[in-house]
Amino acid sequence: MAQKIPVGILGATGMVGQQYISLLNDHPWFEVRFAAASPRSAGKKYAEATAGRWQLAKTYAPDVGSIIVEDANDVSRAVAAFKKGECSFVFSALEMGKDETRTLEEQYAAAGIPVISNASAHRWTPDVPVLIAEINPEHTDIIPVQKKSRGWDRGFIAVKPNCSIQSYMKPLHALAQAGFPAQRLIVTTMQAVSGAGYPGVPSLDMLDNVVPYIGGEEEKSEREPLKIFGFIDNDVFKNAEFPKISACCNRVPVTDGHIACVSLEFMDKKPSLDEIKKIWAAYKGVPQEAGLPFAPKQPIIYREEDNRPQPRKDRDADKAMAVVIGRLRPCNVFDVRFTALSHNTVRGAAGGGILNAELLKYKGFLG
Amino acid sequence: MAQKIPVGILGATGMVGQQYISLLNDHPWFEVRFAAASPRSAGKKYAEATAGRWQLAKTYAPDVGSIIVEDANDVSRAVAAFKKGECSFVFSALEMGKDETRTLEEQYAAAGIPVISNASAHRWTPDVPVLIAEINPEHTDIIPVQKKSRGWDRGFIAVKPNCSIQSYMKPLHALAQAGFPAQRLIVTTMQAVSGAGYPGVPSLDMLDNVVPYIGGEEEKSEREPLKIFGFIDNDVFKNAEFPKISACCNRVPVTDGHIACVSLEFMDKKPSLDEIKKIWAAYKGVPQEAGLPFAPKQPIIYREEDNRPQPRKDRDADKAMAVVIGRLRPCNVFDVRFTALSHNTVRGAAGGGILNAELLKYKGFLG
Amino acid sequence: MAQKIPVGILGATGMVGQQYISLLNDHPWFEVRFAAASPRSAGKKYAEATAGRWQLAKTYAPDVGSIIVEDANDVSRAVAAFKKGECSFVFSALEMGKDETRTLEEQYAAAGIPVISNASAHRWTPDVPVLIAEINPEHTDIIPVQKKSRGWDRGFIAVKPNCSIQSYMKPLHALAQAGFPAQRLIVTTMQAVSGAGYPGVPSLDMLDNVVPYIGGEEEKSEREPLKIFGFIDNDVFKNAEFPKISACCNRVPVTDGHIACVSLEFMDKKPSLDEIKKIWAAYKGVPQEAGLPFAPKQPIIYREEDNRPQPRKDRDADKAMAVVIGRLRPCNVFDVRFTALSHNTVRGAAGGGILNAELLKYKGFLG
Amino acid sequence: MAQKIPVGILGATGMVGQQYISLLNDHPWFEVRFAAASPRSAGKKYAEATAGRWQLAKTYAPDVGSIIVEDANDVSRAVAAFKKGECSFVFSALEMGKDETRTLEEQYAAAGIPVISNASAHRWTPDVPVLIAEINPEHTDIIPVQKKSRGWDRGFIAVKPNCSIQSYMKPLHALAQAGFPAQRLIVTTMQAVSGAGYPGVPSLDMLDNVVPYIGGEEEKSEREPLKIFGFIDNDVFKNAEFPKISACCNRVPVTDGHIACVSLEFMDKKPSLDEIKKIWAAYKGVPQEAGLPFAPKQPIIYREEDNRPQPRKDRDADKAMAVVIGRLRPCNVFDVRFTALSHNTVRGAAGGGILNAELLKYKGFLG
């Protein structure tokens, strides 16, 4: 690729925005040239706007540090950047209210700027795909429908699902593809604090403590999989009916990496534990076949040790883009139990968004 | 009570032993007069033997600090103490191997010293009761059978179950008593490090981390409830068949307090959420009726806030002897979900052992 | 005491306010009858205003839960309560800006309501005493001067110093009283997150991390001791010139309990380590002599173990009102080194404020 | 370099041994071909010997996983490996007692295997250099003396200092080189748990807690700098007399990264804060000039933000080989204060050892 595609980040100074900036450093296709955030940061250099608030061990490129942050509410700034060849599309990591996010993302799309979003605002918008690149790449077929009905020319909106479900969606998909769909799932998660952004969860809640509740998370965890496992029929999404999921979401004193403890009941046939491990080991999708830059080589890594996966040791597997699973065993009530881990701000947020953008580019939507 | 009953602690210097010592400070019925531990501690004053290793914020009484620690392997020391009126029975918090514990506890009982144990060694011994004082006080009926068949005169063995199940056994019992027995249960626990004793879990495993495995814990969690919910038929225990339990046990960075996230399927009738709360609020057992000193006034406390129970804030409820529950809600797969908390080294260990001793005293088994 | 003195709490819903409420539960002299906080809480019952935000393991009395919270900005509410016999004086745990706090506390005093404050606003006001009850009880002599010059009748203001210095001020005072004043002090603190209130320090800053900075804390730690060790001359405070203090303040992942590592250079004579320990063991002040309810029996507890004091194990010593010291040893550069610990929200905040009120009551200023 | 030098690791399965294995993955000069550990691990594949005990997020190379671990006590195994061209020298990360380590390391050297050691056993052996590659590379001049007096042919011993001093030695050296030697230093450290190996510090000591003591650490911190800042006179080390150091070492709940809070008094001339920053920014040594692979490009990184350095965000700076400093400011008692951070198991252990080996190779001591 002769020249990199210039991209923008909405919500560039927040936790997920920082991850985008950090992960896109040296990306082979994309280059951050535009950054927008709240009015408070607008007008400052990116380095200045994040001074004392940068949360990651890896820092940003010097070029990015000197980008002047724009006001994300002012779509005309992105349009101007687009015209100067500095913003071909945007990653949205907006942290404002749901209604404001929904409206603002639509304004960007209407103005001709494609929006690849982490926000939850458009996940239930009927003509917006919720993409996990390995699972439902064909859901991009809705984008022409979206553009047409909205009267949008170049812009469109594609989103990714909630970070809490990332660790078990690919394992479930692998099993379903192999002829073993899940019927019911009881899931308990132990989620990292970075999922709540910065400042996010107070330290008084996370020292010698666990908080057994995350607002809105359980509903998302139970519903979003049904859209992702659904299909497009006559230009309309039909949600899957299964698996039925019961989710209990907890916040634990971990910086990054969400764990899910899953009890699974299969629909019909029940594979052996060995079959399941083979299915997971062999699992690949379009990102792997197309060699997309952010695709993990092996999307599902199984560890045989009793005491894995662990957030600190496993979250960074394959550039933090792989799911790591362990403890596959029979369930005393359903069919099998296992424990799965995914890096919530990489695979579950910015990294997942980048992989979606790569998929969309690969399929010609960002051309 | 004119004079307190002198008691001994086996494993007095370990984590649970320390809790016994600390909790029995000022007990109205019992008084620690005898302490035994590993040969390494034998011959030292208790204060000396625990110097630099005392784990609790509350300290021991000065009298206890000057007790000379005996070698727990030498049963004759306890017998001598018994004869001097310094050890009427012992609490066992032994931390040695299962087989050695089993043998040693039997030696104490055979020598005429009743053993109220926290150890897991005798939980599946057919003639040993596994007591939760509110749930199965009638299981003490096995003690005369035990004494007779063993040819023991004064001594006997009674044990308590694993700490991981304490938070949901009373809630289940309350529901079963009210006509709503559970059929199936999928449980995921987040357990405190004090459950593994000291030194126990390395800090490298508990900083920015969760360990998704505790050896042997899931098997205990799935099986022990069936003995506790069972009954004695013709001098023999019959285990209950239900509830079927699937347990996934995790270690989290919390000092004290085990949490369980429970999905529950009722056997037949399904109470409303309000009914369940009323049943829990009204729940009482023999300990409450008899006014036993360590009985929590209200064994099950329900909190209406979304974000409770939390270990740091709720584990000490009612002298750390109550179970605290929150988040009762419909389950998308089974009938209801809730989250329950119990202090693992108090209610789940030493405090539970003391309450069992109080029950046994109340029922006339301790002279 | 036939009837308890009714007291009010300003900033009652915050972290320190909650500690006041909790600690005054069952206080023999004082009874909380009035609570004021931000307009957001005004009009709600105290239980309601703190639901989901209550931070302590110990809860409030039922009576307090049903107090209607007033707007702290509206002094007339306290005056009305005073007239109804429900607010004889107030503890100020206000968390607003320094200038607003200064003004508001003066308005309360001017309206006839004595203010015993934790806030830093008035620590450098020339006619306001900064009290540590064991060290400078005679500084209350400035109160008549204050009242007179301000034209206040019943009201006055007395404050306590910053929580970061509590652990070493009494040890220094004990040594100075015994003829061994300190000349220079190099102090590094490791401070608990509760010192920053709630939500306070973000958990992302406190998991697997230390923050080597607390805004304004070092200046307070270096200057406030000079006022406390000063004296009143001709109705005016004269600050002490020594000890010169260099403070480096760090935030560490601990809920409660500030540690200070102190290197000390004596002015002239240098006591032996044994002499120092004897001086600390014998140290008493007016609170001990007068038997004030919140006075620790032994204000300075020395522990001989190498690895003490530790926040989790030592912060609650003597109702969390004692200072716990360990590791006294020669310093390779100055004379001696030691490590000291004090509970920052009890002795260093609400408990210290209550002890100051007891001192003021004992001396007739609240009568 | 046509072919890599084969190296061995003694203590290969421990915490520091794992870091060696991990860091030497893809090293341009060295290649791990030999691994030795305790008899318990001997005979197992490296992957097997560390299964369930591997502590790092980064894993080992597959080739290393299949190395058969030898018994470190049996020097003949290394000699055999040397003859087969599989072990040119060894990195010692032995975790046995000091006397045994001293003897064993000498046996390796006597057998012709150079030993680059992290262990403390030989730091005070008169003819063994304690190297920090940027500071005292000329101390390698003692090696010929060592070899000659011991009658060793090919083997020798070189060691590195304790991890606790790594963060401030280079800053002090930079200042001394620029004409501003330090006279006195009062240092308080907050040290990570990985410094104690695995299992190391119990989690009960590190949850909601700080331990104000690390056995032996303060003595090492006060004495080792004097050898490093010393010089060789007539084939004998002369220790420096300054700076006098007083160290107070604490263990805090951090996985990796030791912090030191330093108060510094200069010998004579006192540079301005700006001069100091310039001196640090310009600081380079032989490793930088020679372009050694593990040399950080900028050995001392200064951060202007108030709240840095922080372990989680700064320990990995420049491959975890740089020192990160912040908070340079006047000291109220000495001349200046600053806070410094170094990654204890990389720069302070395995990475520092590798850099020492690179220096020795560069200077011709490794064949």
Side-chain angles (χ1 to χ4, degrees):
Chain A
M1 198 163 290
Q3 204 177 335
K4 291 189 185 178
I5 299 174
V7 305
I9 315 288
L10 309 183
T13 58
M15 190 74 208
V16 172
Q18 292 183 15
Q19 272 288 15
Y20 268 115
I21 296 285
S22 169
L23 292 173
L24 287 170
N25 199 1
D26 295 322
H27 192 279
W29 297 358
F30 307 136
E31 183 179 20
V32 176
R33 301 279 295 280
F34 177 81
S38 71
R40 191 166 38 100
S41 297
K44 295 184 190 161
K45 285 186 183 176
Y46 187 74
E48 225 180 294
T50 56
R53 293 177 55 89
W54 184 261
Q55 290 304 310
L56 307 174
K58 240 181 84 183
T59 188
Y60 42 80
D63 281 2
V64 171
S66 57
I67 290 176
I68 303 296
V69 179
E70 304 286 352
D71 178 352
N73 295 298
D74 181 355
V75 178
S76 75
R77 307 307 303 159
V79 173
F82 171 67
K83 286 183 183 155
K84 283 190 288 179
E86 292 178 354
C87 181
S88 183
F89 68 91
V90 293
F91 291 104
S92 164
L94 291 169
E95 291 182 349
M96 46 184 62
K98 212 166 164 170
D99 289 341
E100 295 153 275
T101 303
R102 193 184 298 119
T103 306
L104 193 53
E105 291 186 346
E106 289 177 0
Q107 288 173 358
Y108 277 89
I113 313 285
V115 177
I116 320 288
S117 180
N118 282 284
S120 66
H122 274 297
R123 290 190 195 140
W124 289 98
T125 305
D127 58 359
V128 170
V130 179
L131 299 172
I132 294 182
E134 285 92 347
I135 297 182
N136 60 346
E138 73 283 3
H139 282 200
T140 58
D141 293 352
I142 204 76
I143 293 174
V145 181
Q146 181 195 123
K147 284 176 153 183
K148 192 174 160 198
S149 73
R150 308 279 193 140
W152 293 343
D153 174 24
R154 192 177 170 278
F156 64 88
I157 298 172
V159 308
K160 49 161 288 310
N162 198 46
C163 53
S164 63
I165 67 172
Q166 300 282 349
S167 67
Y168 51 88
M169 284 299 285
K170 272 173 292 199
L172 292 182
H173 182 242
L175 291 169
Q177 270 192 321
F180 305 106
Q183 177 158 264
R184 302 201 293 177
L185 225 65
I186 290 184
V187 179
T188 298
T189 68
M190 296 179 283
Q191 301 188 208
V193 298
S194 60
Y198 185 85
V201 186
S203 55
L204 272 170
D205 287 337
M206 287 286 105
L207 294 174
D208 192 11
N209 207 25
V210 159
V211 175
Y213 177 70
I214 303 173
E217 203 80 352
E218 297 174 354
E219 294 76 1
K220 292 175 191 166
S221 303
E222 295 176 349
R223 291 179 63 209
E224 293 180 7
L226 301 179
K227 181 165 181 180
I228 296 165
F229 284 147
F231 59 98
I232 300 170
D233 179 31
N234 249 331
D235 290 356
V236 172
F237 274 119
K238 301 287 185 196
N239 290 344
E241 278 181 53
F242 290 96
K244 292 195 90 165
I245 300 178
S246 165
C248 180
C249 295
N250 301 282
R251 190 74 74 188
V252 294
V254 163
T255 57
D256 294 303
H258 288 353
I259 292 184
C261 301
V262 179
S263 278
L264 184 162
E265 183 182 54
F266 288 106
M267 191 75 81
D268 319 291
K269 286 187 302 170
K270 298 169 198 325
S272 72
L273 300 184
D274 273 350
E275 280 177 288
I276 294 174
K277 290 182 195 173
K278 275 181 200 146
I279 289 163
W280 284 343
Y283 180 69
K284 307 252 180 252
V286 170
Q288 285 72 36
E289 286 151 16
L292 301 184
F294 260 59
K297 282 199 199 78
Q298 186 171 340
I300 301 173
I301 295 171
Y302 188 82
R303 296 202 65 119
E304 292 287 348
E305 299 96 324
D306 265 347
N307 62 0
R308 302 293 277 268
Q310 294 177 19
R312 192 168 65 75
K313 297 176 192 164
D314 293 310
R315 63 192 168 207
D316 290 329
D318 209 339
K319 298 159 299 178
M321 290 295 287
V323 163
V324 180
I325 306 190
R327 306 214 60 223
L328 180 68
R329 61 200 191 281
C331 176
N332 209 22
V333 167
F334 280 173
D335 293 318
V336 296
R337 290 203 79 152
F338 60 88
T339 299
L341 171 77
S342 163
H343 194 300
N344 58 300
T345 63
V346 182
R347 179 74 216 209
I354 293 170
L355 187 61
N356 281 350
E358 293 172 355
L359 176 73
L360 288 160
K361 167 71 189 155
Y362 170 75
K363 295 186 109 185
F365 288 97
L366 293 172
Chain B
M1 196 163 289
Q3 205 179 332
K4 291 188 183 177
I5 299 173
V7 305
I9 316 288
L10 308 181
T13 59
M15 190 74 208
V16 172
Q18 293 183 15
Q19 272 288 14
Y20 269 115
I21 297 285
S22 168
L23 292 173
L24 287 170
N25 200 0
D26 295 321
H27 191 279
W29 297 358
F30 307 136
E31 182 180 22
V32 177
R33 301 279 297 278
F34 177 81
S38 70
R40 193 167 37 100
S41 296
K44 296 183 189 160
K45 286 187 183 173
Y46 187 73
E48 226 179 296
T50 56
R53 291 178 56 87
W54 184 261
Q55 291 304 310
L56 307 174
K58 237 180 86 182
T59 190
Y60 40 79
D63 281 2
V64 171
S66 57
I67 290 176
I68 304 296
V69 179
E70 304 287 350
D71 179 353
N73 295 298
D74 182 355
V75 177
S76 75
R77 308 305 305 158
V79 172
F82 170 68
K83 288 184 182 152
K84 284 192 288 180
E86 293 178 354
C87 181
S88 183
F89 67 90
V90 293
F91 291 105
S92 165
L94 291 168
E95 291 182 348
M96 45 185 62
K98 211 165 164 171
D99 289 342
E100 296 154 275
T101 303
R102 194 184 297 118
T103 305
L104 193 52
E105 291 186 346
E106 289 177 0
Q107 289 174 0
Y108 276 89
I113 314 285
V115 177
I116 319 286
S117 181
N118 282 284
S120 66
H122 274 298
R123 290 189 195 142
W124 289 97
T125 305
D127 58 358
V128 170
V130 179
L131 299 172
I132 294 181
E134 285 91 347
I135 297 181
N136 61 345
E138 72 283 3
H139 282 200
T140 57
D141 292 353
I142 204 76
I143 293 174
V145 181
Q146 181 194 123
K147 285 177 152 183
K148 191 174 162 198
S149 75
R150 308 279 192 140
W152 293 343
D153 173 24
R154 192 178 171 278
F156 64 87
I157 299 171
V159 309
K160 49 160 290 307
N162 198 48
C163 53
S164 63
I165 66 172
Q166 300 283 349
S167 66
Y168 51 88
M169 284 299 284
K170 272 172 292 197
L172 292 181
H173 182 242
L175 292 168
Q177 270 192 321
F180 305 106
Q183 177 158 263
R184 303 200 293 177
L185 225 64
I186 290 183
V187 179
T188 298
T189 67
M190 296 179 283
Q191 301 189 209
V193 298
S194 60
Y198 185 86
V201 186
S203 55
L204 272 169
D205 288 337
M206 287 286 106
L207 294 174
D208 192 10
N209 207 25
V210 160
V211 175
Y213 177 69
I214 303 174
E217 203 80 351
E218 296 173 357
E219 295 77 1
K220 291 175 192 166
S221 303
E222 294 175 351
R223 290 180 64 211
E224 293 180 8
L226 301 179
K227 183 165 180 181
I228 296 164
F229 284 148
F231 58 99
I232 300 170
D233 178 32
N234 249 328
D235 291 357
V236 171
F237 273 118
K238 302 287 185 197
N239 290 343
E241 277 181 54
F242 291 95
K244 292 196 90 167
I245 299 178
S246 166
C248 180
C249 295
N250 301 282
R251 191 72 76 188
V252 294
V254 163
T255 58
D256 293 303
H258 289 353
I259 292 184
C261 302
V262 179
S263 278
L264 185 163
E265 183 181 54
F266 288 105
M267 190 75 79
D268 318 291
K269 287 187 301 171
K270 298 170 197 325
S272 72
L273 301 184
D274 272 349
E275 280 176 288
I276 294 174
K277 290 182 195 173
K278 274 180 203 150
I279 289 164
W280 285 343
Y283 181 68
K284 308 254 180 249
V286 170
Q288 285 71 36
E289 286 152 16
L292 301 182
F294 260 58
K297 281 197 200 80
Q298 186 171 340
I300 302 173
I301 295 171
Y302 188 82
R303 296 202 63 119
E304 292 287 347
E305 299 96 324
D306 264 347
N307 62 359
R308 302 293 276 269
Q310 293 178 19
R312 192 167 66 75
K313 297 177 193 165
D314 293 310
R315 63 192 168 207
D316 290 328
D318 209 339
K319 299 158 298 178
M321 290 296 288
V323 163
V324 181
I325 306 190
R327 305 214 63 221
L328 180 67
R329 61 201 191 279
C331 176
N332 210 20
V333 167
F334 280 172
D335 294 317
V336 295
R337 291 203 79 152
F338 60 89
T339 298
L341 170 77
S342 163
H343 194 300
N344 57 301
T345 64
V346 181
R347 178 75 215 209
I354 293 170
L355 187 61
N356 280 350
E358 293 171 354
L359 176 74
L360 288 160
K361 168 69 190 156
Y362 169 76
K363 295 187 109 186
F365 288 98
L366 293 172
Chain C
M1 194 161 294
Q3 206 179 332
K4 292 189 184 175
I5 299 173
V7 304
I9 316 288
L10 308 182
T13 59
M15 189 75 207
V16 172
Q18 292 183 15
Q19 272 288 14
Y20 269 115
I21 296 284
S22 168
L23 293 172
L24 287 170
N25 198 2
D26 295 321
H27 191 280
W29 297 358
F30 307 137
E31 183 180 21
V32 177
R33 302 279 296 278
F34 177 82
S38 71
R40 191 166 38 99
S41 296
K44 295 182 190 163
K45 286 188 183 174
Y46 186 74
E48 226 180 296
T50 57
R53 292 178 55 90
W54 184 261
Q55 290 305 310
L56 307 173
K58 239 180 85 184
T59 191
Y60 41 81
D63 281 2
V64 171
S66 57
I67 290 177
I68 303 296
V69 179
E70 304 286 351
D71 178 353
N73 295 298
D74 181 356
V75 178
S76 74
R77 308 305 303 158
V79 173
F82 170 68
K83 287 184 182 154
K84 284 190 288 180
E86 294 179 352
C87 181
S88 184
F89 67 90
V90 292
F91 291 105
S92 164
L94 291 169
E95 292 183 348
M96 46 184 61
K98 213 166 163 171
D99 290 341
E100 295 153 276
T101 303
R102 194 183 299 118
T103 306
L104 192 53
E105 291 185 346
E106 288 177 0
Q107 288 173 358
Y108 276 88
I113 313 284
V115 176
I116 320 288
S117 180
N118 283 283
S120 65
H122 274 297
R123 290 188 195 142
W124 288 97
T125 304
D127 59 358
V128 170
V130 179
L131 299 172
I132 294 182
E134 285 91 348
I135 298 181
N136 61 345
E138 72 283 3
H139 282 202
T140 57
D141 293 353
I142 204 75
I143 292 173
V145 181
Q146 181 194 124
K147 284 177 153 183
K148 191 175 160 198
S149 75
R150 308 278 192 140
W152 294 343
D153 173 21
R154 190 176 174 278
F156 64 87
I157 299 171
V159 308
K160 46 161 292 308
N162 199 46
C163 53
S164 63
I165 67 173
Q166 300 281 349
S167 67
Y168 52 87
M169 285 299 285
K170 273 172 292 197
L172 293 181
H173 182 243
L175 292 168
Q177 270 193 320
F180 305 107
Q183 178 158 262
R184 302 201 293 177
L185 225 65
I186 291 185
V187 179
T188 298
T189 66
M190 296 179 283
Q191 301 188 209
V193 298
S194 60
Y198 185 84
V201 186
S203 55
L204 271 170
D205 287 337
M206 286 286 106
L207 294 175
D208 192 10
N209 207 26
V210 160
V211 175
Y213 177 69
I214 304 173
E217 203 80 351
E218 296 174 356
E219 296 76 1
K220 292 176 192 168
S221 303
E222 295 175 351
R223 292 179 62 211
E224 293 180 8
L226 302 178
K227 181 164 182 181
I228 296 165
F229 284 148
F231 59 99
I232 300 170
D233 179 31
N234 249 331
D235 289 357
V236 170
F237 273 118
K238 302 286 185 197
N239 290 343
E241 277 181 54
F242 291 95
K244 292 196 89 167
I245 299 177
S246 165
C248 180
C249 295
N250 301 283
R251 191 71 75 187
V252 294
V254 163
T255 57
D256 294 302
H258 288 353
I259 291 184
C261 302
V262 179
S263 278
L264 184 161
E265 185 181 53
F266 288 105
M267 190 77 77
D268 320 289
K269 287 187 302 171
K270 297 171 199 325
S272 72
L273 300 184
D274 272 349
E275 280 176 288
I276 294 174
K277 289 181 197 175
K278 275 180 202 147
I279 289 164
W280 285 342
Y283 180 69
K284 307 253 181 252
V286 170
Q288 285 71 37
E289 286 151 16
L292 300 183
F294 260 59
K297 282 200 198 76
Q298 185 171 339
I300 302 173
I301 295 171
Y302 187 82
R303 296 203 65 120
E304 292 287 348
E305 299 97 323
D306 266 346
N307 62 0
R308 302 293 278 268
Q310 294 176 20
R312 193 167 65 76
K313 296 175 192 165
D314 293 310
R315 63 190 168 207
D316 290 328
D318 211 339
K319 298 158 299 178
M321 290 296 288
V323 163
V324 181
I325 306 191
R327 306 215 59 221
L328 180 69
R329 61 200 191 280
C331 177
N332 210 20
V333 167
F334 280 171
D335 295 317
V336 295
R337 291 203 78 152
F338 60 89
T339 298
L341 170 77
S342 163
H343 194 300
N344 57 301
T345 63
V346 181
R347 179 73 215 210
I354 293 170
L355 187 60
N356 281 350
E358 292 171 355
L359 176 73
L360 288 160
K361 167 70 191 156
Y362 169 76
K363 296 187 109 185
F365 288 97
L366 294 171
Chain D
M1 196 163 289
Q3 204 176 335
K4 292 188 185 178
I5 299 173
V7 304
I9 315 288
L10 309 182
T13 58
M15 189 75 206
V16 173
Q18 292 183 15
Q19 272 288 15
Y20 269 115
I21 296 284
S22 168
L23 292 172
L24 287 169
N25 199 1
D26 295 321
H27 191 279
W29 298 359
F30 306 137
E31 181 179 23
V32 177
R33 302 278 296 278
F34 177 82
S38 71
R40 192 166 38 99
S41 296
K44 295 183 189 162
K45 286 187 183 174
Y46 186 74
E48 227 180 295
T50 56
R53 291 178 56 89
W54 184 262
Q55 290 304 311
L56 307 174
K58 238 180 86 183
T59 190
Y60 41 79
D63 281 2
V64 171
S66 57
I67 290 176
I68 303 296
V69 179
E70 304 286 351
D71 178 352
N73 295 298
D74 182 355
V75 177
S76 75
R77 307 306 304 159
V79 173
F82 170 68
K83 287 185 182 151
K84 284 190 289 181
E86 293 177 354
C87 181
S88 184
F89 68 90
V90 293
F91 291 104
S92 165
L94 292 169
E95 291 182 350
M96 46 184 62
K98 211 164 165 172
D99 290 341
E100 296 153 274
T101 303
R102 193 184 298 117
T103 306
L104 193 53
E105 290 186 346
E106 288 178 0
Q107 288 174 358
Y108 276 90
I113 313 284
V115 177
I116 320 288
S117 181
N118 282 285
S120 66
H122 274 297
R123 290 189 196 142
W124 289 97
T125 304
D127 59 359
V128 170
V130 179
L131 300 171
I132 294 182
E134 286 91 347
I135 298 181
N136 61 346
E138 72 283 4
H139 281 202
T140 58
D141 293 352
I142 204 75
I143 292 174
V145 181
Q146 180 195 125
K147 283 176 153 182
K148 193 175 161 198
S149 75
R150 309 279 194 139
W152 293 344
D153 174 24
R154 191 178 172 277
F156 64 87
I157 299 172
V159 308
K160 49 158 292 305
N162 198 46
C163 53
S164 62
I165 67 173
Q166 300 282 350
S167 66
Y168 51 89
M169 285 299 285
K170 272 172 293 199
L172 292 181
H173 182 243
L175 292 169
Q177 271 192 323
F180 305 106
Q183 177 159 264
R184 301 200 295 177
L185 225 65
I186 291 184
V187 179
T188 297
T189 67
M190 296 180 282
Q191 301 188 208
V193 298
S194 60
Y198 186 85
V201 186
S203 55
L204 271 169
D205 287 337
M206 287 286 106
L207 294 174
D208 192 10
N209 207 25
V210 160
V211 175
Y213 176 69
I214 304 174
E217 203 80 350
E218 296 173 356
E219 296 76 0
K220 293 176 191 167
S221 303
E222 294 175 351
R223 292 178 63 210
E224 294 180 7
L226 301 179
K227 182 165 181 179
I228 295 164
F229 283 148
F231 58 99
I232 300 170
D233 179 31
N234 249 331
D235 290 357
V236 171
F237 274 118
K238 302 285 186 198
N239 290 344
E241 277 180 55
F242 290 95
K244 291 195 93 168
I245 299 177
S246 165
C248 180
C249 295
N250 301 283
R251 191 72 75 188
V252 294
V254 163
T255 58
D256 294 302
H258 288 353
I259 291 184
C261 302
V262 179
S263 278
L264 186 163
E265 183 182 54
F266 288 105
M267 192 75 79
D268 320 288
K269 286 186 303 173
K270 296 169 200 324
S272 71
L273 301 183
D274 272 350
E275 279 177 288
I276 294 173
K277 290 181 195 174
K278 275 181 201 146
I279 289 164
W280 284 343
Y283 179 69
K284 308 253 179 250
V286 171
Q288 285 71 35
E289 286 152 16
L292 301 183
F294 260 59
K297 283 199 197 79
Q298 185 171 340
I300 301 173
I301 295 171
Y302 188 81
R303 296 201 65 119
E304 292 287 347
E305 298 96 325
D306 265 345
N307 62 359
R308 303 292 279 265
Q310 293 177 19
R312 191 167 66 75
K313 296 177 192 163
D314 293 309
R315 64 193 167 205
D316 290 329
D318 210 339
K319 298 157 300 179
M321 290 297 287
V323 163
V324 181
I325 306 190
R327 305 214 61 220
L328 180 68
R329 61 200 191 280
C331 176
N332 209 21
V333 167
F334 280 173
D335 294 318
V336 295
R337 291 202 79 151
F338 60 88
T339 298
L341 171 78
S342 163
H343 193 300
N344 57 301
T345 63
V346 181
R347 179 73 216 209
I354 293 169
L355 187 61
N356 280 350
E358 292 170 356
L359 175 74
L360 289 160
K361 168 69 191 158
Y362 169 76
K363 296 186 108 185
F365 287 96
L366 291 172

